[in-house]
Amino acid sequence: SHVNGQGQLLSSSCLYFSLEGKRSGQITKILEAEAIRLVDIAVQRNKPIVLEVLDTTLSKSAGRYRNRKQNRKMSLFAYKKMQDSIHSRAAKMGVAVFEVNPAFTSQIGKMKYMKQMHISIHQAASYVIGRRSMNLKERVPKGLQAYTERKGGEHHWKQWSVLTKAFSVLRSHLFYHVSGQSYPLFNKEICNYGLTQAERDSLQKYVPKVWLEERDS
């Protein structure tokens, strides 16, 4: 995501590649090539690069063709190799690299920017990462504020932690279909969109039951 000095999104895109079935040497070459592409973009735009701090929790889910332990080891290897390749290439080209805490970047992106900016959850997360490097705070949208209450002196990430738990079972793409402009409107839009039974059961804790009943009728 390309962010200006005010924290506004100028553009967003993806670099596509696949590591599936590749050996470690092949993975290294692929990621080094992608690092060159990324740093070249930064050079052209005269901008620094912002990355997440290496987070080992990113590798806890099992892959399609590997067991959990093997997938975790490979994901950690690839993620660290990507970080190292970017740092190395950036140093060579004179591009500054900053790292930020990755906490709730995907969740904030999903709930706040994905629909608004018409981008994927991954691009939305990258936008949040860019904004975080500028020390910009992410206020909870009005439509979600009723789900959480911020206490005096409490870090604003606490609100996003509560929201993450509240909507943990909702499929990410549902947030493309809700405006989030107000609490009742947000709930009605969520409930009127084809929810799975698991999603409905979870939302019973957070929305008036009558709206779910209206959806059934």
Side-chain angles (χ1 to χ4, degrees):
S1 291
H2 185 197
V3 184
N4 67 14
Q6 290 71 48
Q8 299 167 323
L9 183 66
L10 299 179
S11 63
S12 184
S13 58
C14 299
L15 300 179
Y16 293 97
F17 56 92
S18 175
L19 305 180
E20 189 173 292
K22 300 296 191 300
R23 297 186 299 274
S24 60
Q26 294 173 312
I27 289 175
T28 296
K29 290 183 178 180
I30 291 172
L31 294 181
E32 286 177 346
E34 295 304 319
I36 291 174
R37 290 176 64 191
L38 178 63
V39 174
D40 284 349
I41 292 173
V43 170
Q44 293 168 6
R45 293 175 175 170
N46 193 29
K47 294 287 182 69
I49 293 174
V50 185
L51 306 174
E52 292 180 326
V53 175
L54 180 63
D55 182 7
T56 57
T57 62
L58 294 176
S59 309
K60 290 184 177 178
S61 59
R64 183 178 300 177
Y65 302 113
R66 304 186 184 98
N67 64 42
R68 188 181 298 271
K69 184 176 180 180
Q70 289 175 322
N71 183 70
R72 184 173 186 275
K73 288 177 64 177
M74 182 57 70
S75 296
L76 280 175
F77 169 79
Y79 195 74
K80 188 175 188 307
K81 177 60 67 175
M82 177 179 288
Q83 296 274 44
D84 291 344
S85 297
I86 292 172
H87 277 285
S88 177
R89 180 65 178 178
K92 181 177 180 181
M93 300 301 293
V95 174
V97 178
F98 301 99
E99 293 187 342
V100 298
N101 191 317
F104 307 112
T105 50
S106 293
Q107 299 302 318
I108 294 171
K110 175 178 69 176
M111 298 182 204
K112 188 172 182 179
Y113 296 118
M114 193 169 69
K115 175 183 172 66
Q116 178 185 343
M117 302 297 182
H118 304 287
I119 53 181
S120 72
I121 184 174
H122 308 295
Q123 290 169 280
S126 72
Y127 178 38
V128 176
I129 291 169
R131 285 174 52 84
R132 184 165 295 177
S133 71
M134 304 168 68
N135 295 318
L136 297 173
K137 294 184 178 180
E138 300 295 351
R139 298 182 183 277
V140 173
K142 290 183 179 180
L144 301 179
Q145 288 176 1
Y147 291 94
T148 179
E149 181 178 349
R150 185 178 179 184
K151 301 177 182 179
E154 189 176 65
H155 197 283
H156 66 282
W157 285 0
K158 178 61 177 179
Q159 291 181 293
W160 290 108
S161 176
V162 172
L163 290 173
T164 297
K165 292 178 182 178
F167 299 118
S168 61
V169 301
L170 292 182
R171 291 160 290 168
S172 295
H173 78 269
L174 288 175
F175 286 87
Y176 279 122
H177 303 279
V178 293
S179 62
Q181 295 302 310
S182 67
Y183 174 69
L185 178 60
F186 175 84
N187 279 324
K188 289 181 179 180
E189 289 177 334
I190 278 285
C191 292
N192 286 333
Y193 194 80
L195 299 177
T196 66
Q197 189 59 50
E199 290 169 335
R200 291 170 55 78
D201 292 343
S202 178
L203 284 181
Q204 291 278 10
K205 305 174 185 177
Y206 303 100
V207 301
K209 188 176 181 180
V210 63
W211 289 346
L212 294 173
E213 292 173 346
E214 289 176 354
R215 174 67 180 85
D216 287 337
S217 61

